[in-house]
Amino acid sequence: MNISNEGIALIKKFEGCKLESYYDAVDVLTIAYGRTKGVKAGDTCTQEQADAWLEEELHEYGGYVNDAVKVDLKQNQFDALTAWQSIRRTCQKKRS
């Protein structure tokens, strides 16, 4: 299963997009829609790059959900778990 367009739109709405790197609420250096991989202070990106990164990360996070959940899910449940997984991964980086 893959995240739906509605799920992506919801994540974009709640996450917001910043095209310059910043420290998020848990003090992790972040850019675009919550991307933390390889981000350095002063980094910038285009909207197109931000959208591509989000698609890449949601594919990864959706894979984690597909691997872990062994029952049938409705689309909205899958979307919610994928969004939660993206938040969870950011919080784990803070602890490491």
Side-chain angles (χ1 to χ4, degrees):
M1 185 173 266
N2 296 308
I3 193 164
S4 68
N5 289 336
E6 291 83 5
I8 293 169
L10 189 64
I11 289 170
K12 284 181 173 184
K13 176 182 176 183
F14 285 107
E15 186 66 44
C17 183
K18 295 186 180 177
L19 302 180
E20 296 180 14
S21 62
Y22 64 98
Y23 287 94
D24 68 7
V26 293
D27 207 32
V28 174
L29 202 52
T30 306
I31 197 168
Y33 295 104
R35 183 177 180 85
T36 59
K37 295 176 186 174
V39 180
K40 298 181 293 301
D43 281 354
T44 62
C45 69
T46 64
Q47 185 63 55
E48 292 78 17
Q49 183 64 61
D51 291 338
W53 282 335
L54 180 62
E55 183 177 328
E56 170 189 311
E57 290 176 345
L58 291 178
H59 178 76
E60 176 185 345
Y61 301 146
Y64 298 145
V65 174
N66 283 323
D67 290 346
V69 177
K70 302 304 178 196
V71 297
D72 291 337
L73 295 173
K74 294 179 182 176
Q75 185 65 56
N76 66 324
Q77 293 170 317
F78 181 85
D79 292 350
L81 288 172
T82 302
W84 175 78
Q85 181 65 27
S86 70
I87 295 165
R88 183 177 163 270
R89 301 293 287 184
T90 299
C91 291
Q92 282 181 331
K93 288 184 180 251
K94 173 64 177 169
R95 287 194 298 253
S96 58

